[in-house]
Amino acid sequence: MIFTYIHFGGSGDTINQSKDKLDIYFLINKLRRSVMKRLACLIFVLLSVCLLSFILSVRTSPLWAAHQEPLRVAVVGAGAAGLTAARTLTEQGHEVVVFEKENRVGGKVFSIPVGNNALEFGAVLVTEDDYPIILGYADEFSIPTIPSPADFNILDEFGNKIALQDFLRSRYTEAEIAAAENSYAVVLDQFAEFIDAPGLVSLPDDLSLPFAEFAERYGISLVEDWMKALLTGFGYSYSKTVPAAYYVKFLPFLVNLGPSGFEAGEGRIFPNGFQSLFNALAATLDVRLNSKVTHIRRPSFSEPGKVRITVNGIKRHWFDAVVIATPLNVVPFFLDVTPFEVWLFTRMQSVRYFVTLFAALGVKQEEILYFHENANPERINHVGGWVVPFDTGNLALGNAYQIAERELSAWELEMMLAEDMWLTGGWYLDALYQKEWPNYFPHVGCHLLALGFYDVMDGMQGRRGTYFVGSSLTFESVEHAARQAQSVILKHFGEKR
């Protein structure tokens, strides 16, 4: 017999009798069962409400999928996805209006001219074989690209600066590298269909694992160790926490298998600024800047009708359909969402990505430097990487990139930048400009990904005249966003006319 000692008010009274012990035991269990039943009922009610809301929102077939006449379509957001969607719709003969709340186009592509060059505060470069849509626009509008003149280096945890291509051989044996190359080839082959798909639907099970765990399981931990500094420097969070699906989709852009084994992708830049490409694309479309969509009212569940869009809280417009190219977690602020849609959209996570244009002394110019030690969640707020793209004499001008906690101020992040620069032997002088991206790299967690988040989103396309495109539905790169947007338009509005 096991006796329980219970103290009442600190008096030290002890009950040793078995009968009293059992009475208390059964009383506790009875209370626990009662609480669990009530909690289960509450969860059942909440799930029922969400399920009913979802059924109501999808119980009709897409209102706009089948059509004969040109439609009047609104696009919300003039980034890579929004402009690609608008361009594809226009090519199909539809009347398209793009609403953009900012005074510029490009979304997370943002360039500032500096002399005869440009500094990038969002997307920096492309690789020649992996950006067919983006480079197709560049060819069409005669936007030049050139090989990046910068050296690509990684600063390891011991303070050694190592060329990107030499990083693995500085840490691993040739046998270990060869084994990883074979494993990487298997991963590329096994997940080829997923990698080539425009979105993230029909996800293979293991891709919902954190990438570091996935890499260990598939024998490519060396690739994870090699590329994690680049991924964090680009603003794509951390390999220990991000589901593998996102990184596996992007890795072929970074790592190739050539005749001699692993090869890092060679980057190209836009000397006139990445944004110049989207300026040229927008010039062919009806894009309305400084036009913030403040409310969208959609048709009822069962009856077709017009989508009413309110801009800047005043002007109303009516359309046959709307394409939303903004992060999903901000959609409830302007769309007439159902309770299920609110729950679904707000599951989307993002990172706060901070870019600082700095002036410094003693910093190597024409260099892109990634910080290996800072590619871990416990090193948040530290510099993930910086780009000093061209030689400006004694004074170096470059952009530093930091994933930051929400509560940290710009000044505190600037001090972290100065500290990291000092450790490299550089001398930080001043911040000339700072740009914050509060919703960078939208993604969902491992559990929700495994439950089929993107399959649910795919099933909602076209309901009540609404379509969703952009990096919230795929990986956060301009090419992936453009590819996903083009795919949605072609699937739901038909092929080009």
Side-chain angles (χ1 to χ4, degrees):
M1 180 66 67
I2 299 174
F3 297 101
T4 303
Y5 298 92
I6 304 177
H7 299 281
F8 296 92
S11 65
D13 295 335
T14 304
I15 300 177
N16 293 322
Q17 291 80 3
S18 175
K19 181 177 181 302
D20 291 337
K21 174 210 175 244
L22 291 174
D23 287 345
I24 294 173
Y25 176 84
F26 287 120
L27 176 61
I28 291 173
N29 273 276
K30 184 177 180 180
L31 290 171
R32 185 172 59 188
R33 286 194 299 271
S34 176
V35 170
M36 292 300 293
K37 285 181 180 179
R38 291 176 183 272
L39 183 60
C41 289
L42 178 60
I43 293 173
F44 177 79
V45 170
L46 290 174
L47 289 176
S48 298
V49 170
C50 290
L51 180 61
L52 178 61
S53 175
F54 175 69
I55 292 172
L56 287 173
S57 67
V58 301
R59 66 187 177 90
T60 57
S61 59
L63 299 175
W64 320 111
H67 55 81
Q68 298 297 326
E69 299 299 325
L71 300 177
R72 179 171 161 81
V73 184
V75 176
V76 182
L83 293 177
T84 299
R87 175 62 180 272
T88 309
L89 285 163
T90 300
E91 290 174 340
Q92 293 171 317
H94 300 295
E95 180 187 351
V96 185
V97 178
V98 182
F99 295 105
E100 170 55 54
K101 68 176 182 178
E102 303 291 344
N103 62 358
R104 62 174 185 84
V105 299
K108 292 169 185 170
V109 173
F110 178 34
S111 311
I112 293 182
V114 178
N116 296 324
N117 301 284
L119 286 169
E120 304 292 355
F121 289 79
V124 175
L125 47 77
V126 298
T127 47
E128 190 165 5
D129 297 328
D130 302 310
Y131 286 76
I133 295 178
I134 298 304
L135 291 179
Y137 291 147
D139 289 340
E140 178 182 349
F141 301 116
S142 300
I143 306 296
T145 67
I146 60 172
S148 173
D151 296 326
F152 289 73
N153 296 319
I154 296 178
L155 188 74
D156 72 10
E157 61 270 40
F158 306 109
N160 301 312
K161 191 180 290 188
I162 305 166
L164 179 63
Q165 191 63 44
D166 298 333
F167 183 79
L168 287 181
R169 285 179 172 79
S170 73
R171 302 166 75 88
Y172 301 100
T173 66
E174 291 296 331
E176 290 172 324
I177 295 172
E181 288 170 347
N182 292 332
S183 298
Y184 186 60
V186 171
V187 168
L188 294 182
D189 180 67
Q190 181 173 340
F191 298 102
E193 185 176 351
F194 167 78
I195 291 170
D196 293 337
L200 295 165
V201 299
S202 303
L203 195 71
D205 290 340
D206 284 351
L207 291 181
S208 60
L209 296 171
F211 180 67
E213 183 179 338
F214 171 91
E216 183 176 2
R217 178 174 296 188
Y218 281 82
I220 58 169
S221 292
L222 274 71
V223 177
E224 184 262 341
D225 189 37
W226 185 21
M227 287 293 131
K228 68 179 184 180
L230 278 70
L231 291 163
T232 297
F234 289 149
Y236 299 137
S237 196
Y238 303 99
S239 62
K240 291 181 180 179
T241 58
V242 171
Y246 297 100
Y247 288 177
V248 169
K249 211 161 188 65
F250 188 54
L251 271 181
F253 287 43
L254 300 177
V255 182
N256 303 314
L257 281 174
S260 59
F262 282 132
E263 296 177 352
E266 295 185 4
R268 299 184 67 84
I269 63 171
F270 295 85
N272 298 326
F274 208 146
Q275 193 177 333
S276 64
L277 182 146
F278 293 101
N279 290 341
L281 177 58
T284 68
L285 303 166
D286 183 358
V287 179
R288 304 181 186 183
L289 301 178
N290 300 305
S291 298
K292 181 179 180 179
V293 172
T294 50
H295 185 66
I296 298 177
R297 181 177 178 180
R298 297 175 289 177
S300 65
F301 294 113
S302 57
E303 304 237 350
K306 297 290 185 181
V307 177
R308 189 185 75 190
I309 295 181
T310 305
V311 176
N312 293 329
I314 302 172
K315 193 169 180 61
R316 292 180 176 179
H317 306 264
W318 282 263
F319 295 89
D320 297 306
V322 60
V323 177
I324 296 177
T326 67
L328 284 180
N329 57 344
V330 305
V331 170
F333 291 107
F334 60 81
L335 185 67
D336 59 344
V337 288
T338 65
F340 177 77
E341 288 172 332
V342 172
W343 180 87
L344 190 69
F345 298 161
T346 54
R347 297 312 93 192
M348 186 65 60
Q349 306 171 29
S350 62
V351 301
R352 183 189 181 206
Y353 194 42
F354 214 83
V355 186
T356 302
L357 169 58
F358 63 82
L361 296 173
V363 172
K364 181 175 171 17
Q365 302 185 49
E366 294 188 333
E367 178 185 52
I368 298 177
L369 182 65
Y370 303 99
F371 289 69
H372 188 266
E373 184 181 10
N374 295 345
N376 296 290
E378 58 270 19
R379 298 285 290 176
I380 191 171
N381 304 317
H382 284 272
V383 174
W386 64 50
V387 178
V388 186
F390 37 81
D391 191 340
T392 53
N394 293 329
L395 185 68
L397 295 178
N399 279 341
Y401 302 87
Q402 295 163 273
I403 295 176
E405 293 173 304
R406 301 282 174 183
E407 62 272 16
L408 254 67
S409 68
W411 181 84
E412 289 173 302
L413 290 170
E414 193 180 346
M415 293 302 99
M416 301 291 277
L417 165 58
E419 175 187 332
D420 287 336
M421 189 173 293
W422 181 78
L423 292 174
T424 69
W427 188 261
Y428 176 83
L429 297 179
D430 198 9
L432 306 179
Y433 182 83
Q434 293 177 307
K435 174 65 179 177
E436 178 180 350
W437 302 105
N439 284 302
Y440 205 80
F441 183 40
H443 61 284
V444 296
C446 296
H447 181 64
L448 202 58
L449 195 65
L451 291 176
F453 175 89
Y454 290 102
D455 297 276
V456 174
M457 285 301 308
D458 188 60
M460 294 174 64
Q461 296 284 13
R463 310 301 174 182
R464 301 176 67 193
T466 311
Y467 302 86
F468 301 93
V469 302
S471 55
S472 290
L473 284 303
T474 183
F475 181 77
E476 174 86 285
S477 83
V478 289
E479 181 67 26
H480 285 99
R483 188 186 304 173
Q484 187 272 342
Q486 186 180 78
S487 172
V488 168
I489 299 306
L490 293 179
K491 176 180 178 180
H492 292 275
F493 290 82
E495 295 295 330
K496 297 180 181 179
R497 298 184 179 186

